Amino acid sequence: VAVSMTIPAVSAVASAPAASLYVNFMGNEPEAAATAYPASTWDRLRVIKRRYDPDNVFSSNHNIPPA
């Protein structure tokens, strides 16, 4: 039973785009945050950041700079 459940799971993961990035597994590379989101989402997050944190006070974890 375990093998019959594992093979579809591994296949699903293997077919994921190689450029995908899970934010919780990012290192401290500042430029990596931008690659974790689609471009439209990144732009929207930057607009939100500009509105709620224009001085970039919350910048220590996977920083999204204000737009």
Side-chain angles (χ1 to χ4, degrees), residues 1-15:
V1 173
V3 172
S4 66
M5 293 172 53
T6 304
I7 292 172
V10 170
S11 297
V13 171
S15 66

Side-chain angles (χ1 to χ4, degrees), residues 16-42:
S20 296
L21 178 66
Y22 187 62
V23 179
N24 286 350
F25 293 118
M26 288 181 2
N28 287 330
E29 305 84 21
E31 66 282 350
T35 65
Y37 304 98
S40 60
T41 302
W42 178 253

Side-chain angles (χ1 to χ4, degrees), residues 20-64:
S20 296
L21 178 66
Y22 187 62
V23 179
N24 286 350
F25 293 118
M26 288 181 2
N28 287 330
E29 305 84 21
E31 66 282 350
T35 65
Y37 304 98
S40 60
T41 302
W42 178 253
D43 294 340
R44 184 171 45 91
L45 288 169
R46 292 192 66 208
V47 168
I48 292 167
K49 178 76 175 226
R50 181 181 61 214
R51 180 175 179 185
Y52 291 102
D53 186 18
D55 296 325
N56 206 22
V57 174
F58 300 103
S59 62
S60 62
N61 261 351
H62 314 310
N63 188 37
I64 298 171

